[in-house]
């Protein structure tokens, strides 16, 4: 039995603003500001979505869920976006091998919430928690994230499927 493997990378960034909730990996984090975006602006989940879509050569999250479409306004990114991508990938015969992601934020501290983020992503992707890694780092005071103006995330993933030979 032969398999083909695909690796994808995703990146997302959103500005921090007052009056919005801060959602990261499907977890609401108490903080004085939240991320601005059309959906819930969950940069971690958006980066994961783009990594998965890129690995399958299915463009990006904006192509599937445009920010001009009112049906995606304020939606839960895990339930409404990531879950649909997982179904799409399964339909194409792909399985998710693993996901590795990094959140870049000066504040708040992400470490108390990382285990739940991993559980949320793993459950939605129908993979084991041991197949999802989320890490967090600060901007060391540098750039937009270091100044507390926004939060960014990077994600990589491995997809595989059985070759049709």
């Amino acid at each position: 039995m032969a398999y083909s493997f695909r690796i994808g990378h995703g990146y997302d960034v959103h500005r921090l603003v007052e009056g919005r909730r801060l959602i990261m990996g499907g977890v609401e984090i108490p903080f004085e500001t939240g991320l601005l975006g059309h959906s819930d602006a969950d940069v971690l989940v958006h980066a994961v979505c783009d990594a998965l879509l890129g690995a399958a050569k299915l463009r990006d999250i904006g192509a599937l869920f445009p920010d001009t479409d009112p049906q995606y306004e304020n939606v839960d990114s895990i339930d409404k976006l990531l879950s649909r991508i997982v179904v799409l990938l399964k339909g194409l015969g792909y399985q998710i091998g693993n996901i590795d992601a990094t959140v870049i934020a000066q504040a708040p501290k992400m470490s108390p919430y990382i285990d739940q983020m991993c559980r949320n992503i793993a459950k939605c992707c129908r993979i084991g928690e041991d197949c999802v890694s989320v890490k967090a780092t600060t901007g060391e005071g540098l750039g937009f994230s270091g100044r507390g103006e926004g939060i960014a995330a990077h994600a990589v993933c491995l997809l595989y499927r059985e070759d049709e030979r």
Side-chain angles (χ1 to χ4, degrees), residues 12 53 55 62 67 69 79 92 96 104 125-126 137 153 158 161:
D12 195 38
L53 290 168
D67 63 6
D69 190 333
D79 288 340
L92 295 172
I96 300 169
I104 303 108
C125 291
R126 304 174 194 168
T137 189
L158 175 70
R161 69 179 170 188

Side-chain angles (χ1 to χ4, degrees), residues 35-51:
L35 294 170
L36 180 63
H38 186 64
S39 66
D40 62 5
D42 187 331
V43 296
L44 173 56
V45 171
H46 294 180
V48 168
C49 288
D50 272 348

Side-chain angles (χ1 to χ4, degrees), residues 10 12 23-27 39-52 61 76-83 85 99 101 103 117 120-121 124-125 134 153-155:
D12 195 38
I23 308 294
M24 194 70 50
V27 177
S39 66
D40 62 5
D42 187 331
V43 296
L44 173 56
V45 171
H46 294 180
V48 168
C49 288
D50 272 348
L52 294 168
I61 192 173
D76 180 312
S77 292
I78 283 188
D79 288 340
K80 301 297 182 189
L81 308 182
L82 182 57
S83 64
I85 291 167
I99 295 167
V103 175
M117 292 176 199
N120 292 347
I121 293 168
C124 182
C125 291
V134 174
H154 286 271

Side-chain angles (χ1 to χ4, degrees), residues 93-131:
Y94 287 110
Q95 295 191 50
I96 300 169
N98 75 306
I99 295 167
D100 183 25
T102 303
V103 175
I104 303 108
Q106 196 63 36
K109 291 291 184 195
M110 299 288 158
S111 57
Y113 310 100
I114 285 180
D115 288 342
Q116 186 61 51
M117 292 176 199
C118 290
R119 281 192 292 275
N120 292 347
I121 293 168
K123 180 179 178 184
C124 182
C125 291
R126 304 174 194 168
I127 58 177
E129 289 178 37
D130 62 329
C131 297

